[in-house]
Amino acid sequence: MLKAFGFRKTPHFLASAFLSCIGVLLLVAGINFARGEVDNLVQQQASGLAHTWSMQVAGNAPQLPELLATPRGNSHPLGSLGTTAPSSPILGFRIYDLNGDLRVSVDQEGTPTAAPNPGYSTQVTLPIISGGKNIGTIASDVDTSAIHTLLMNAALKIGAIFSIAICILLSMSLMARISLRQEALRNTNRVMQHNAMTGMPNQRAFLEMLSLSHSQEIAQHTTTNLFLLNLDRFAHINERMGKTVGDMLLRLVAERLRLACGNAVVSTHISADTFGIIADEKTGKRMHKTLQQVFSQPFNFGQNVVRLSASIGAATSTAGHHSSEQLHRNAELALRAAKTNGGHQLITYDSDTVVKFQEIDRVATVVEDACQNNDFELHYQPVVDSTTRKLNSFEALIRLTTSDGETIGPDKFIPIAERIGRIEEIGLWTLREACRTVAGLPRHISMAVNLSVQQFNSGNLVSEVGKILKETRVDPGRIELEVTEGIMIGDADPVFDQLTELQGLGVKIALDDFGTGYSSLNYLWRFNFDKLKIDQAFIRASDHNSKARALLAKIVEVGRMLDMKITAEGIETEDHAVRAAELGCDYSQGYLFGKAIPQTSLASVVISEFAEYIRLQTGGQAKAGTDQAVTV
Ligand code: C2E
Ligand code: CA
Ligand code: CA
């Protein structure tokens, strides 16, 4: 396929035609030049011949001086010298005395005086010297046609050979120039169509190849498979290890791709850390595996060992079903989906997947904007003592409302914030905000804050929490951090270590949503949780399922045994509340006691709660909502 993108053939035939013209012109010019030269030569030759002939005539005619000295009268006919008749190339001769009178005239026997070809005959006149004196002149007619023909033929041959030689030399030099130009053009073309760093075809070449593949696909009813591959967290690697290392990694990736994909496939380097692979139906099938294998081994160079992963978007078109632009867009959407879904995976385009990931993308953008503009808000859900139903604490629950007024629930945006790496800053913001809030509430009220598993990855969670506690001057004992069973995935030890350190700061640790997920009792003894929060689904199931109810009782028992406090979540009905209390749950949380409320409504809840508390304490004397009850 690459050949099709080579340099277009230079019209050599134009150069040949040009050279032929030059050759003909040279030949014509050569002939004209040769003709002039030949004429000169012929003239010289003729005068030489005439001279020899004149000498011979004069030498063989001793009576000539006398004849010429005798004045010519009318009675004197033309003289005869009695010499042999001239032979070719001398056509004849005439001798004149000093008066210019013709005294002797001899012609070739049977040959008219006029030369057969007047163009090639010449008359040469020479003085006749006798005894050191000029006694007359001799004019000899020389036939130069034979010499002319001979010389002309020779000149033509030499001229032809010469012009052919010049043509050959010229053509060689011209071809060399053309080749050099072609080479230069090829080089320019190569530079323009290739990525300078990896030497792979660049975006421009990629788009051309894609459109060519599309044309082939239509013409031959074949399939084009397009893969767009983007390295995960490459910007981060560049930042951490430097651009030189980043460039080196890109070269290594390109090399591996070239080797793994082979020649049947077009591998291109589209932009910074994105590569494009165009494959036909057969090779496309194995590409899924091949591309993922490219990253299975770490990249080693010098002292560095770097593990890379890639997000891959794949799209297919058969017999021109999609235009090349559409195919490209589909692969881009699939790539975006792979990225949004956490990277390190291949997603093949189909409309459902794309709709799903477009929504994820949309929410991701909303989250990014909210982080920039500080658009998050905390709501607080009350948690009560199961027996007394007195307010014990609040759970801080994050809220996000878009500029269009759309509310996006944390169930939806928290996992996306985790994927796009924003959860750490959101989590710390939540903690700071919740600490500030609880610092303004009566001292017996505490605050629960949810932590995402990813917040344990950075390694500085403990110090950040410590800073926030100091900054907000809240009593750490009033803060409870909730983690879910998700922390048990993979290597839980580093998480447990950090949880221990957090407990060391004085905060409490609760295991949230217990009864769902893994529900392994294994880790209950591995870490000393302060509290167990039984998931609302469990409470709900116990409504109509006696086994769930029995299990619930056992969970509470286990919690007690391990010295943990128990909270029942999702208490929506009086039945739930009674059951939770009867089972021995310490605390209850649910819509029965109140939904999460904004901070502005917090004061009134706390005041009425406190007034109720005072009322109970004073045997029903105090009135709810009195100002003296609490300072919030
Ligand atoms: P969660 O930690 O289990 O929080 C309790 C969720 O159950 C809240 O939903 C709450 O509104 C809801 N809920 C409480 N009582 C009832 C009830 O009686 N019936 C029903 N049907 N629901 C009840 P929300 O606020 O939508 O939060 C959902 C989840 O989002 C939370 O579950 C928590 O996992 C997560 N989340 C909320 N805020 C944060 C946060 O600041 N950070 C992190 N990492 N996660 C958060
Ligand atoms: Ca929670
Ligand atoms: Ca929960």
Side-chain angles (χ1 to χ4, degrees):
M1 194 185 282
L2 271 169
K3 274 189 194 155
F5 298 95
F7 186 75
R8 271 193 302 154
K9 283 209 177 311
T10 308
H12 274 99
F13 70 93
L14 269 184
S16 310
F18 172 69
L19 283 171
S20 306
C21 289
I22 297 264
V24 169
L25 283 175
L26 270 174
L27 202 59
V28 170
I31 289 169
N32 278 335
F33 176 75
R35 186 171 285 148
E37 287 301 302
V38 163
D39 285 349
N40 281 343
L41 271 174
V42 166
Q43 199 61 43
Q44 281 173 23
Q45 194 69 18
S47 97
L49 281 169
H51 195 266
T52 313
W53 171 252
S54 304
M55 297 283 284
Q56 196 182 321
V57 169
N60 290 340
Q63 73 278 29
L64 191 57
E66 192 192 328
L67 176 71
L68 291 174
T70 313
R72 185 185 166 194
N74 287 336
S75 55
H76 290 287
L78 289 176
S80 158
L81 292 177
T83 55
T84 42
S87 61
S88 189
I90 305 298
L91 297 169
F93 66 92
R94 270 147 286 281
I95 296 176
Y96 301 88
D97 60 20
L98 286 173
N99 296 325
D101 290 337
L102 180 62
R103 304 298 295 268
V104 178
S105 177
V106 180
D107 286 327
Q108 233 182 53
E109 201 176 9
T111 310
T113 308
N117 185 351
Y120 297 115
S121 73
T122 186
Q123 192 173 65
V124 181
T125 305
L126 291 165
I128 304 169
I129 310 292
S130 174
K133 282 186 181 170
N134 187 2
I135 57 169
T137 54
I138 178 165
S140 308
D141 295 318
V142 186
D143 178 3
T144 55
S145 62
I147 307 169
H148 200 278
T149 310
L150 197 77
L151 285 174
M152 207 53 203
N153 280 348
L156 277 179
K157 272 182 200 153
I158 292 169
I161 291 170
F162 184 68
S163 51
I164 287 170
I166 294 231
C167 271
I168 290 172
L169 280 174
L170 265 177
S171 64
M172 278 167 70
S173 123
L174 197 66
M175 291 307 164
R177 273 162 169 268
I178 289 171
S179 296
L180 279 174
R181 209 171 131 251
Q182 279 186 350
E183 186 60 31
L185 275 171
R186 257 196 296 271
N187 282 343
T188 315
N189 205 40
R190 205 185 134 68
V191 168
M192 284 172 72
Q193 299 231 346
H194 286 77
N195 183 291
M197 191 198 308
T198 55
M200 274 183 157
N202 61 13
Q203 183 174 35
R204 192 178 140 162
F206 164 77
L207 293 175
E208 279 183 27
M209 289 176 199
L210 194 60
S211 118
L212 185 89
S213 175
H214 181 249
S215 312
Q216 276 174 1
E217 183 194 313
I218 296 171
Q220 296 162 14
H221 276 250
T222 50
T223 294
T224 306
N225 289 294
L226 173 61
F227 300 86
L228 293 180
L229 185 151
N230 181 272
L231 301 178
D232 296 327
R233 296 170 62 78
F234 191 68
H236 178 72
I237 290 176
N238 254 342
E239 250 169 50
R240 231 187 55 214
M241 306 185 80
K243 208 176 161 310
T244 317
V245 172
D247 288 356
M248 174 68 82
L249 277 171
L250 285 174
R251 278 193 280 272
L252 290 175
V253 169
E255 197 47 45
R256 273 203 200 169
L257 278 175
R258 257 194 293 255
L259 283 174
C261 297
N263 290 336
V265 170
V266 174
S267 313
T268 59
H269 187 174
I270 299 175
S271 61
D273 59 345
T274 305
F275 296 83
I277 285 105
I278 307 169
D280 60 17
E281 192 169 10
K282 207 171 122 214
T283 40
K285 278 184 189 147
R286 70 175 164 82
M287 272 305 128
H288 286 239
K289 214 170 157 202
T290 307
L291 290 177
Q292 282 168 325
Q293 274 172 353
V294 164
F295 298 94
S296 58
Q297 296 299 317
F299 291 80
N300 304 313
F301 55 99
Q303 303 285 310
N304 301 295
V305 179
V306 182
R307 278 202 174 273
L308 285 180
S309 69
S311 304
I312 305 165
T316 299
S317 171
T318 301
H321 183 66
H322 295 300
S323 68
S324 59
E325 290 80 15
Q326 220 172 344
L327 179 66
H328 190 190
R329 204 167 43 247
N330 291 350
E332 277 180 334
L333 287 170
L335 171 63
R336 244 187 123 107
K339 279 256 161 235
T340 312
N341 203 28
H344 195 12
Q345 60 193 287
L346 186 151
I347 287 185
T348 302
Y349 174 89
D350 75 68
S351 40
D352 287 350
T353 322
V354 165
V355 168
K356 180 176 145 203
F357 285 106
Q358 271 173 341
E359 175 60 6
I360 293 178
D361 243 14
R362 186 186 71 86
V363 175
T365 312
V366 172
V367 171
E368 295 278 4
D369 289 351
C371 286
Q372 297 280 323
N373 308 327
N374 213 358
D375 282 344
F376 296 107
E377 205 190 330
L378 278 191
H379 283 200
Y380 301 91
Q381 185 177 30
V383 179
V384 302
D385 182 297
S386 298
T387 319
T388 64
R389 300 200 182 178
K390 186 175 125 342
L391 179 67
N392 169 267
S393 55
F394 287 100
E395 178 176 1
L397 295 163
I398 195 164
R399 297 288 176 259
L400 171 58
T401 308
T402 67
S403 49
D404 308 338
E406 182 200 2
T407 304
I408 304 176
D411 274 341
K412 189 170 183 176
F413 77 78
I414 290 284
I416 294 173
E418 287 174 341
R419 278 178 194 155
I420 62 173
R422 289 289 200 168
I423 195 63
E424 281 176 36
E425 66 179 283
I426 295 174
L428 293 178
W429 174 86
T430 306
L431 180 65
R432 186 173 288 109
E433 206 55 25
C435 284
R436 278 188 193 138
T437 301
V438 76
L441 296 181
R443 296 187 69 82
H444 67 280
I445 294 174
S446 52
M447 180 69 75
V449 178
N450 294 283
L451 284 188
S452 153
V453 185
Q454 275 196 17
Q455 288 183 258
F456 291 86
N457 293 344
S458 69
N460 54 16
L461 176 67
V462 179
S463 62
E464 290 295 332
V465 171
K467 268 192 232 162
I468 291 172
L469 292 174
K470 256 195 198 149
E471 184 188 309
T472 54
R473 295 188 184 170
V474 71
D475 171 9
R478 294 173 70 194
I479 301 296
E480 194 169 86
L481 300 177
E482 297 187 3
V483 293
T484 60
E485 293 168 331
I487 56 164
M488 315 300 163
I489 301 174
D491 184 9
D493 286 345
V495 179
F496 285 140
D497 290 348
Q498 291 177 65
L499 288 177
T500 309
E501 287 182 58
L502 286 170
Q503 270 179 338
L505 293 176
V507 299
K508 299 205 165 58
I509 305 293
L511 183 60
D512 201 1
D513 299 344
F514 189 78
T516 58
Y518 309 94
S519 295
S520 161
L521 295 179
N522 173 33
Y523 49 80
L524 281 185
W525 53 261
R526 281 182 67 194
F527 181 76
N528 195 14
F529 290 102
D530 297 288
K531 189 183 270 182
L532 209 60
K533 291 186 82 172
I534 302 170
D535 192 77
Q536 49 181 282
F538 221 94
I539 305 290
R540 217 167 290 138
S542 69
D543 269 352
H544 42 79
N545 189 319
S546 57
K547 283 184 184 164
R549 203 177 303 187
L551 207 52
L552 194 57
K554 286 291 167 204
I555 290 171
V556 176
E557 219 174 288
V558 168
R560 292 243 156 277
M561 210 169 68
L562 295 172
D563 215 15
M564 296 175 193
K565 296 285 182 195
I566 314 280
T567 299
E569 286 188 289
I571 305 297
E572 291 183 350
T573 62
E574 190 54 36
D575 255 10
H576 288 161
V578 171
R579 197 179 310 145
E582 280 177 359
L583 283 171
C585 294
D586 302 282
Y587 306 106
S588 294
Q589 178 180 355
Y591 293 167
L592 181 71
F593 305 111
K595 290 190 171 181
I597 48 166
Q599 191 176 14
T600 44
S601 315
L602 212 54
S604 61
V605 170
V606 175
I607 289 167
S608 60
E609 168 70 27
F610 199 70
E612 179 64 9
Y613 173 71
I614 297 290
R615 194 181 66 79
L616 290 174
Q617 294 293 311
T618 55
Q621 299 303 305
K623 282 196 180 133
T626 47
D627 285 338
Q628 66 190 4
V630 73
T631 312
V632 180

